[in-house]
Amino acid sequence: MHTFLWALARIFIIGGILGFLMSRWFGINTPLMKKNPPSEEMLNARIHLPPGFSISVYAKDLPDVRMLRFTEAGDLLASLPNEGRIVLLERDADNDGAPDGRSDLVTGLNRPHGMDYYQGRLYVAETDAIGRIAFNPKTRKTKGEYEQVVTGIPGGSNHWTRTLRFGPDGLMYVSVGSSCNVCEEKNPKRAAMLRYTPDGGQDELFATGLRNTVGFDWHPDTHELFGVDNGRDFLGDDFPPEELNRIEQGKFYGWPYANGNKIPDPDLGAGHEEQIRNSLPPVHEFAAHTAPLGMTFLRNKNLPPEFKNSALVALHGSWNRTEKTGYKVVSLHFGPKGTITERDFISGFEFQGDVIARPVDVAEGPDGAIYISDDFTGSIYRVSRP
């Protein structure tokens, strides 16, 4: 027994030493062990919200849950990429703080991530294709076969997630991240925003130089497209910044030749001065390595006035930093003359290095509440006001 305990202790000691060295030498410091959802007591003790808001665990047992989308009937769809399925969580009609039921809507997919509903069909972004299936939100049923309308999207590699949303123009926008930390891509559809017609036609390279734009949405009034972009790694704790970009058709946003506000990349910037000069800089910078993922503009008119046309962004949290940062949800407030102010909306998921959640996506429900997915505990949180 003593031999076993000593061996176990040695494993923990060696693991601790290796963890310390990885953090100090390579800036690698990431939460590795998945956890159970935080208790109500822990949420009350740890989480900070704007006055008048409260938070609770809405759903759990959703392994590696990622993107969220509400149906017209008020049900919540959630993607589980590692299990290849889209789950439907029935709206909380009995007001007990949890979905009234759940069911698999589509299964057997190749790492499904982003979703949207358009003209009677549910569209799903797999890692290498876009598929759709007829879906009736009222009956909660699909009809017919799932069909892939776009193929040939480069899949897998470093950034395997694909986000899909339909724009105000009725066209389908798909973001594809880079295959690497920093490199010159051979496939032009990498590190880009793609655009298609709903049937998968009119294959268009909408914008380029976007290293990994996971979350994007359109401003409710101006209909400008904004997206959050993850900067590269291994350039220190505080560089480069993560980005919020105003994404415009035909524009180039700098990667892999520039970081942040047109700062030449130390590996690939030399010799590409003209591309850097002609690139568009971010309209707002987040702290380095905070990993912004999901983004949504708030449209509920019953929110406090300061949240009118603001956007919420889920900061998944750092891994390539000696001390953890991020692990929260922030609000972006758009002021006159293009000013953007960032404020904490949900904080406390990380405290003194201890992580209890990693937010991924943000969705505004028809009930006026805000829902946040967490792939660290396989949970969805609900933030509401009385």
Side-chain angles (χ1 to χ4, degrees):
M1 185 66 176
H2 291 292
T3 302
F4 170 77
L5 292 175
W6 172 237
L8 190 62
R10 288 175 63 189
I11 290 172
F12 279 106
I13 292 169
I14 293 171
I17 293 172
L18 287 175
F20 175 81
L21 294 177
M22 291 290 281
S23 173
R24 294 304 164 190
W25 289 349
F26 303 106
I28 296 175
N29 182 2
T30 184
L32 297 175
M33 301 297 293
K34 301 259 176 157
K35 295 186 177 182
N36 293 323
S39 64
E40 182 179 350
E41 292 75 19
M42 180 172 287
L43 286 175
N44 290 334
R46 288 269 298 257
I47 302 305
H48 301 281
L49 295 160
F53 288 87
S54 61
I55 187 170
S56 61
V57 175
Y58 179 69
K60 53 187 178 180
D61 299 323
L62 296 164
D64 303 299
V65 60
R66 294 287 290 189
M67 304 306 277
L68 306 174
R69 189 69 74 235
F70 273 95
T71 73
E72 294 175 350
D75 299 325
L76 181 57
L77 305 182
S79 65
L80 305 183
N82 291 341
E83 299 197 349
R85 58 192 176 113
I86 305 296
V87 175
L88 183 147
L89 304 172
E90 297 179 13
R91 68 184 181 90
D92 180 20
D94 59 7
N95 296 313
D96 67 348
D100 287 358
R102 68 172 68 187
S103 58
D104 286 344
L105 196 61
V106 190
T107 60
L109 304 178
N110 185 11
R111 306 188 87 176
H113 194 249
M115 306 160 287
D116 211 348
Y117 179 73
Y118 187 73
Q119 294 185 341
R121 293 184 174 95
L122 174 67
Y123 287 75
V124 181
E126 302 179 68
T127 191
D128 58 356
I130 306 298
R132 68 181 182 182
I133 189 169
F135 171 60
N136 187 332
K138 293 182 179 179
T139 64
R140 300 178 172 133
K141 300 293 184 183
T142 60
K143 183 179 179 180
E145 297 295 322
Y146 176 86
E147 61 169 342
Q148 290 187 339
V149 294
V150 176
T151 57
I153 292 176
S157 299
N158 264 27
H159 301 121
W160 57 267
T161 67
R162 308 289 171 256
T163 307
L164 177 156
R165 298 188 86 156
F166 277 85
D169 54 8
L171 297 176
M172 180 171 60
Y173 292 73
V174 181
S175 62
V176 179
S178 67
S179 65
C180 58
N181 176 39
V182 59
C183 64
E184 292 183 301
E185 297 284 1
K186 296 179 180 179
N187 191 322
K189 291 184 178 180
R190 281 284 190 179
M193 179 74 73
L194 314 179
R195 186 166 72 171
Y196 302 89
T197 54
D199 62 359
Q202 194 179 309
D203 186 347
E204 179 184 0
L205 203 60
F206 185 77
T208 58
L210 298 164
R211 180 177 178 272
N212 188 29
T213 294
V214 177
F216 57 92
D217 196 7
W218 288 262
H219 190 285
D221 286 346
T222 67
H223 302 303
E224 296 170 294
L225 174 58
F226 290 89
V228 293
D229 197 42
N230 286 226
R232 63 161 293 184
D233 302 309
F234 303 115
L235 291 181
D237 274 2
D238 301 313
F239 186 82
E242 315 285 39
E243 301 179 1
L244 174 74
N245 292 300
R246 183 186 294 110
I247 303 176
E248 302 175 25
Q249 186 174 7
K251 301 298 184 181
F252 172 67
Y253 289 85
W255 188 87
Y257 308 126
N259 301 289
N261 190 4
K262 303 189 179 185
I263 301 173
D265 185 83
D267 295 320
L268 295 179
H272 298 279
E273 289 76 15
E274 184 176 357
Q275 288 115 309
I276 294 172
R277 186 168 53 253
N278 294 330
S279 67
L280 287 190
V283 295
H284 175 75
E285 294 181 351
F286 302 93
H289 307 301
T290 51
L293 296 183
M295 172 186 177
T296 189
F297 277 98
L298 298 177
R299 294 167 169 83
N300 180 8
K301 300 185 184 306
N302 294 321
L303 287 169
E306 63 266 29
F307 289 100
K308 176 179 171 58
N309 291 341
S310 65
L312 295 183
V313 176
L315 302 183
H316 194 232
S318 61
W319 67 268
N320 179 218
R321 198 172 189 277
T322 54
E323 293 190 9
K324 295 182 178 71
T325 189
Y327 306 95
K328 59 185 176 180
V329 176
V330 298
S331 57
L332 300 179
H333 303 263
F334 293 71
K337 300 181 180 179
T339 60
I340 299 174
T341 304
E342 177 182 336
R343 303 173 190 164
D344 283 356
F345 184 74
I346 306 174
S347 60
F349 287 140
E350 181 272 329
F351 180 69
Q352 295 182 348
D354 178 54
V355 174
I356 61 173
R358 302 193 72 178
V360 176
D361 197 18
V362 182
E364 188 176 34
D367 58 354
I370 295 159
Y371 295 77
I372 301 100
S373 59
D374 165 22
D375 63 354
F376 189 58
T377 70
S379 308
I380 297 173
Y381 306 97
R382 182 178 185 267
V383 174
S384 60
R385 299 169 67 233

